């Protein structure tokens, strides 16, 4: 049996290629993984400019009671003349500082009359000026390859004048669910059958990660059907993910099917929920077989498939960040497997407590909806109320 950490490390070590690179407009790049560093061709801001509406002055010219004439007016977006000696310029937020000026006085501190303007307070050189290049210097590298592009990353690229960005082409992910007991939602209930929820869960998880999704639907519990589905999946996509059928019962056909078309590693991972996990390849395409129980499928997708897929997509940081919170519960039966317990947080007396859902069965999908994350109970451990425990928010997924 592999530990959770061994299984994750093994999966990540299998990724040895990077996807193809393509150039995309910023409007099509949200959630994509950056493929090349972005170097700024310009300074941001491109010129010294005013932080506020007021007066651009030469600090040395200002004396209490001295009235100086206003020699020009500089709205944002204009290109000013040099400041005439012994004068000030009316200036607005974002407008370029005229050559010769070295400070801006806010308009609230100015007294305007027919002959000009005088100031109440003394003036420091540089005050209220945003310096050229203070955000980004020309030729500075502003983003590194391997990061997933968020709204603020795209904004930063736009701020240096670039409309396109080099990203890794999204991988095509093929999924199917196995199980003769499965019914499609939208159809009438039938005796002995259950609705297929993994299909929808996988679809949404895959879409959330920005992959192209190819759906092969439901596949019957037979060796031939499973082999045919795998062969088609390998032909259509870059990675194959399935749910169910990865145990070693007579109705579990993934193991022999993958072995006949490629190669397979099957592991028991020392975790709960979600013990059986299969990894291998079919016609050279990576294959991940997740367990059928809905909570197990969800948990193993997030803990194993997600980092693997993200790394395959070219992303560098793939591990979820956890935080430490206090247990608002007792966990008195130690287990030899690491448990990922559906939990949510609440704040009380300036402390953050984790509460856990009372039913932790691997078929209880409600627990994943009630919860906002997972508390990690280490192997062979008990937890008492008030102990510190590790918590991974679903926001990390
Ligand atoms: P399996 O891994 O195929 O042995 O399935 C384990 C359990 O998960 C069984 O109770 C299945 O009925 C259930 N299950 C398998 N696939 C799905 C699915 N796609 N949606 C909901 N439940 C499923
Ligand atoms: Mg099954």
């Amino acid at each position: 049996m592999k530990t959770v950490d061994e299984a994750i490390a093994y999966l990540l070590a299998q990724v040895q290629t990077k996807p193809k690179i393509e150039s995309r407009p910023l409007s099509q790049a949200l959630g994509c993984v950056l493929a090349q560093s972005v170097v700024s061709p310009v300074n941001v801001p491109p010129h010294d400019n005013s932080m506020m509406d007021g007066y651009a002055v030469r600090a040395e010219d200002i004396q209490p009671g001295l009235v100086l004439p206003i020699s020009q007016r500089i709205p944002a977006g204009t290109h000013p003349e040099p400041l005439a000696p012994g004068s000030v310029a009316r200036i607005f937020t974002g407008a370029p500082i005229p050559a010769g000026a070295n400070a801006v006085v806010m308009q609230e501190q100015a007294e305007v009359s027919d002959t000009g303007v005088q100031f109440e307070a003394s003036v420091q050189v540089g005050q209220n000026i945003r310096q050229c290049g203070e955000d980004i210097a020309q030729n500075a590298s502003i983003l590194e390859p391997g990061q997933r592009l968020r709204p603020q990353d795209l904004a930063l690229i736009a701020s240096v004048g670039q409309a396109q960005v080099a990203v890794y082409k999204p991988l095509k992910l093929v999924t199917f669910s196995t199980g003769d007991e499965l019914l499609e939602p939208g159809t009438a209930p039938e005796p002995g059958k259950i609705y297929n929820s993994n299909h929808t869960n996988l679809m949404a998880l895959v879409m959330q990660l920005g992959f192209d999704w190819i759906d092969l639907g439901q596949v019957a519990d037979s060796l031939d059907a499973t082999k045919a589905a795998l062969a088609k999946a390998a032909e259509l996509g870059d990675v194959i993910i399935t749910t169910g059928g990865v145990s070693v019962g007579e109705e579990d056909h993934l193991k022999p099917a993958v072995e006949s078309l490629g190669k397979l590693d099957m592991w028991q991972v020392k975790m709960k929920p979600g013990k059986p996990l299969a990894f291998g390849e079919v016609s050279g395409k990576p294959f991940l077989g997740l367990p059928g129980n809905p909570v197990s499928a969800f948990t193993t997708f997030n803990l194993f498939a997600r980092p693997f897929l993200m790394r395959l997509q070219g992303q560098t940081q793939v591990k979820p960040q956890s935080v430490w919170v206090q247990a608002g519960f007792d966990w008195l039966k130690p287990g030899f497997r690491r448990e990922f317990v559906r939990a949510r947080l609440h704040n009380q007396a300036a402390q953050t407590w984790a509460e856990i859902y009372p039913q932790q069965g691997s078929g209880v999908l409600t627990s994943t909806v009630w919860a906002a994350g997972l508390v990690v109970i280490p192997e062979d451990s008990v937890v008492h109320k008030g102990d510190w425990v590790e918590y991974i928010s679903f926001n990390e997924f």
Side-chain angles (χ1 to χ4, degrees):
M1 254 199 199
K2 278 193 190 329
T3 65
V4 172
D5 300 327
E6 284 165 356
I8 294 172
Y10 178 87
L11 287 174
L12 294 182
Q14 304 315 303
V15 181
Q16 264 140 31
T17 54
K18 290 261 185 347
K20 293 203 177 70
I21 297 176
E22 64 182 14
S23 175
R24 288 194 171 207
L26 298 183
S27 61
Q28 302 295 314
L30 181 65
C32 291
V33 179
L34 186 65
Q36 287 162 0
S37 38
V38 179
V39 172
S40 176
V42 295
N43 284 308
V44 180
H47 43 250
D48 290 358
N49 70 96
S50 181
M51 240 180 244
M52 49 189 58
D53 291 351
Y55 296 88
V57 306
R58 196 178 343 260
E60 309 84 274
D61 290 352
I62 308 304
Q63 290 167 30
L66 179 67
V67 176
L68 294 169
I70 300 169
S71 54
Q72 62 176 317
R73 191 171 179 280
I74 316 172
T78 57
H79 184 61
E81 297 294 316
L83 185 67
S87 77
V88 302
R90 179 74 171 121
I91 197 164
F92 299 90
T93 306
I97 304 295
N102 59 13
V104 169
V105 181
M106 65 200 292
Q107 61 191 16
E108 290 79 0
Q109 290 170 354
E111 199 179 304
V112 186
S113 60
D114 288 348
T115 46
V117 56
Q118 58 176 308
F119 303 102
E120 298 153 14
S122 65
V123 176
Q124 306 292 319
V125 171
Q127 75 175 39
N128 300 326
I129 292 179
R130 295 190 283 227
Q131 302 286 335
C132 171
E134 80 175 20
D135 183 1
I136 299 164
Q138 189 174 22
N139 297 323
S141 182
I142 55 169
L143 291 170
E144 294 309 321
Q147 71 181 82
R148 180 173 293 273
L149 294 168
R150 305 164 298 170
Q152 61 268 45
D153 301 316
L154 296 174
L156 198 70
I157 299 170
S159 82
V160 303
Q162 309 286 296
Q164 298 275 131
V165 61
V167 297
Y168 292 118
K169 196 172 156 57
L171 296 173
K172 287 195 211 119
L173 232 121
V174 193
T175 63
F176 63 83
S177 357
T178 69
D180 284 343
E181 71 278 35
L182 302 178
L183 275 182
E184 279 305 321
T187 61
E190 284 177 35
K193 309 265 180 176
I194 59 166
Y195 285 113
N196 185 346
S197 59
N198 287 342
H199 174 255
T200 302
N201 215 339
L202 266 188
M203 174 268 293
L205 288 163
V206 164
M207 286 187 161
Q208 206 176 35
L209 285 172
F211 294 104
D212 287 344
W213 181 50
I214 300 168
D215 175 34
L216 298 185
Q218 257 163 241
V219 172
D221 283 326
S222 86
L223 183 59
D224 286 346
T226 309
K227 278 169 70 175
L230 283 170
K232 189 165 175 203
E235 194 185 301
L236 294 175
D238 303 308
V239 200
I240 307 160
I241 298 199
T242 63
T243 61
V246 285
S247 304
V248 284
E250 286 139 55
E251 295 296 334
D252 296 312
H253 301 285
L254 270 163
K255 185 175 191 283
V258 175
E259 277 167 342
S260 78
L261 299 172
K263 57 178 191 182
L264 184 77
D265 287 324
M266 274 263 306
W267 321 311
Q268 310 276 71
V269 180
K270 254 173 93 178
M271 68 178 286
K272 213 174 158 184
K275 187 167 60 165
L277 193 67
F279 178 76
E281 59 177 59
V282 176
S283 313
K285 306 284 173 72
F287 160 82
L288 252 175
L290 307 180
N293 271 308
V295 180
S296 307
F298 175 73
T299 311
T300 52
F301 182 92
N302 283 315
L303 293 176
F304 303 104
R306 188 176 188 280
F308 173 72
L309 292 171
M310 284 162 62
R311 185 57 64 77
L312 205 61
Q313 186 60 62
Q315 198 167 335
T316 316
Q317 284 294 339
V318 298
K319 295 225 168 110
Q321 293 283 314
S322 52
V323 292
W324 289 81
V325 297
Q326 279 178 284
F329 59 90
D330 285 319
W331 188 273
L332 301 175
K333 275 192 285 173
F336 75 100
R337 294 187 274 164
R338 191 179 299 182
E339 292 215 26
F340 294 89
V341 181
R342 271 72 68 214
R344 65 189 187 196
L345 302 182
H346 68 270
N347 289 307
Q348 202 186 352
Q351 277 166 323
T352 306
W353 298 85
E355 229 184 307
I356 61 174
Y357 194 69
Q359 280 175 276
Q360 292 288 336
S362 58
V364 183
L365 204 47
T366 316
S367 68
T368 62
V369 172
W370 177 92
L374 300 169
V375 160
V376 185
I377 313 263
E379 296 83 345
D380 308 311
S381 303
V382 294
V383 170
H384 294 104
K385 204 173 189 150
D387 287 352
W388 290 91
V389 288
E390 189 182 358
Y391 173 83
I392 308 169
S393 166
F394 288 154
N395 292 336
E396 291 293 315
F397 301 143

